[in-house]
Amino acid sequence: MTTYDIAVIGGDGTGPEVTREALKVAEVAAQKFGFQINWHPYNLGGERYLKTGEVLPDSVVTELRQFKAIYLGAIGHPQVKPGILEKGILLRLRFELEQYINLRPVKLYRAVDCPLKDKGPEHIDFVVVRENNEGLYCGAGGFLFKGLPGEVAVQESINTRRGVDRCLKYAFELAQKRRAGQPWQGLKPEDVAAGKTAQLTMVGKTNVLTYAFDLWDRAFHAMGPKYPPVKLDYAHVDATCMWFVKNPEWFDVIVTDNLFGDIITDLAAMIQGGLGVAAGGNINPEGSSMFEPMGGSAPKYTGQNVINPLAAINAAGMMLDFLGEAKAGATIEAAVIQIINTKIQSLAAGKMGYGTKEVGDLVAAAL
Ligand code: IPM
Ligand code: MN
């Protein structure tokens, strides 16, 4: 029997409770589809830091590097100064394990949960490929005259051709692989007539960030001809925010830099019904990847059994798909959709009509 070793970081706040539901559902999928999962729990997060002063020991990074997949609940603790855990755990793992892609599918499951009431599931179904190792997240820059009246702070965006190329390659391949050619995905009849079946939109700010996105733009157009079925499209990041709400059906696959990807995927999560369902993967196609619900640790809800575990369960489905269990991944998503359509009242925490654990049980039973 195929066996997967998966590291599990439940983390802080409501992270452990949603993780519990995700692992429960993954276990049912494993039985159903005939594979085995050995879970390896790691105690990381605010509690450990407050007790021991340790954020992420080097030895743990070395161990985590050995896993093909890591499952992450949420990181963030109200008693810990912002930045310590985010940079010390989440960003350090993304960077040191070279998880250079942050993959965030955006799909509306049920119209009633969306502020864009006239849009249905057929209009909102795209994927954001966020560069995950470079840009403004590198921490390049510094202070001059810190604390003095004339103080200067500089924060630089690092964009390497290697980093941009590997991200674009992932996005083009995904665009090519995804079911393509849906009429609502930005493809006009003439595109289809020209043999295009998928669209990749590069999101940037070429009109202002004339160095960083000049490199992105040249790399994008240099690579495009290698993927003839893919239509190349470009949108500024501000316009993208507007279109996410007005015409989300224009998007198929989006590729963008680290900070823009961070920002637009929070908006994207809202148009798909909220953080209750939004999941993502930090992907190193050749190494160790990490899957997480997009929401944070929601400390005020800790232990109340009210948080929506569907995002965490979707992250587990993405993880199984990534490991090669495509059927298990698709079946978990189908079970999530079934529960959304037939059982729960709302995707919002505390308004589901069921508790965290009960929603996990419903999905597990639907599987
Ligand atoms: C995300 C989060 C992180 C980010 C924070 C917690 C560092 O917002 O995963 O989108 O900015 O990447
Ligand atoms: Mn974010």
Side-chain angles (χ1 to χ4, degrees):
M1 196 179 340
T2 316
T3 300
Y4 301 103
D5 284 285
I6 299 178
V8 179
I9 306 168
D12 296 318
T14 53
E17 28 192 310
V18 296
T19 298
R20 209 146 42 227
E21 301 316 308
L23 304 199
K24 173 164 60 188
V25 170
E27 273 299 325
V28 177
Q31 275 169 28
K32 186 175 156 85
F33 293 99
F35 56 91
Q36 195 188 321
I37 308 177
N38 297 330
W39 306 104
H40 301 262
Y42 282 84
N43 172 22
L44 295 171
E47 292 300 334
R48 175 171 180 168
Y49 172 67
L50 291 171
K51 269 200 209 107
T52 67
E54 283 176 323
V55 179
L56 177 58
D58 292 347
S59 62
V60 174
V61 178
T62 306
E63 284 181 35
L64 289 174
R65 198 186 289 285
Q66 308 308 316
F67 291 96
K68 193 148 190 250
I70 302 165
Y71 188 88
L72 172 66
I75 293 290
H77 195 290
Q79 273 127 271
V80 180
K81 193 169 156 242
I84 293 180
L85 302 169
E86 292 85 341
K87 277 183 147 164
I89 300 177
L90 187 60
L91 297 185
R92 184 161 169 222
L93 286 176
R94 287 178 183 176
F95 279 49
E96 288 199 22
L97 303 187
E98 271 195 85
Q99 296 165 341
Y100 59 86
I101 296 294
N102 194 316
L103 190 66
R104 297 185 163 178
V106 182
K107 193 185 267 200
L108 177 66
Y109 289 136
R110 188 175 69 178
V112 69
D113 290 300
C114 182
L116 307 93
K117 285 246 184 323
D118 296 334
K119 304 289 183 191
E122 74 275 28
H123 298 108
I124 300 180
D125 185 358
F126 59 89
V127 185
V128 179
V129 177
R130 162 182 170 190
E131 200 296 316
N132 212 28
N133 278 180
E134 302 193 337
L136 280 156
Y137 277 64
C138 288
F143 293 109
L144 207 54
F145 316 124
K146 188 173 178 193
L148 297 174
E151 148 167 33
V152 179
V154 177
Q155 191 101 39
E156 286 163 321
S157 174
I158 307 289
N159 297 263
T160 70
R161 184 65 190 248
R162 166 182 173 265
V164 171
D165 271 342
R166 67 183 179 178
C167 177
L168 289 172
K169 176 167 178 279
Y170 185 92
F172 272 112
E173 282 173 6
L174 181 70
Q176 197 160 268
K177 216 164 55 191
R178 229 169 98 87
R179 57 94 190 81
Q182 307 279 16
W184 57 83
Q185 281 169 3
L187 287 181
K188 306 197 173 67
E190 55 267 32
D191 298 322
V192 178
K196 307 290 182 195
T197 53
Q199 177 180 267
L200 178 61
T201 305
M202 189 178 97
V203 166
K205 192 75 187 171
T206 50
N207 51 349
V208 177
L209 305 180
T210 49
Y211 307 119
F213 281 100
D214 187 75
L215 186 155
W216 274 82
D217 191 57
R218 279 182 282 117
F220 184 55
H221 285 99
M223 198 175 288
K226 288 195 200 135
Y227 301 88
V230 181
K231 179 188 169 190
L232 275 59
D233 181 41
Y234 171 82
H236 289 323
V237 64
D238 46 351
T240 300
C241 292
M242 189 173 71
W243 288 327
F244 271 7
V245 177
K246 199 171 152 279
N247 296 100
E249 66 276 9
W250 286 352
F251 297 102
D252 179 5
V253 177
I254 290 174
V255 63
T256 191
D257 83 346
N258 208 340
L259 184 66
F260 289 166
D262 177 46
I263 296 168
I264 67 173
T265 53
D266 263 24
L267 176 56
M270 283 300 123
I271 70 169
Q272 77 175 127
L275 290 173
V277 288
N282 302 279
I283 295 177
N284 177 342
E286 294 89 37
S288 180
S289 300
M290 181 163 76
F291 298 82
E292 51 173 337
M294 253 188 69
S297 56
K300 70 175 176 187
Y301 294 125
T302 305
Q304 293 180 29
N305 197 42
V306 294
I307 209 84
N308 185 346
L310 293 177
I313 292 169
N314 274 338
M318 277 181 83
M319 177 173 73
L320 296 182
D321 178 69
F322 168 83
L323 288 169
E325 299 290 341
K327 267 197 186 144
T331 310
I332 288 177
E333 192 187 17
V336 164
I337 292 175
Q338 184 186 323
I339 294 315
I340 290 175
N341 285 334
T342 60
K343 299 281 183 189
I344 71 175
Q345 288 160 19
S346 160
L347 296 173
K351 297 186 183 148
M352 298 181 289
Y354 296 90
T356 305
K357 180 176 179 307
E358 289 66 37
V359 173
D361 288 340
L362 285 170
V363 176
L367 262 189

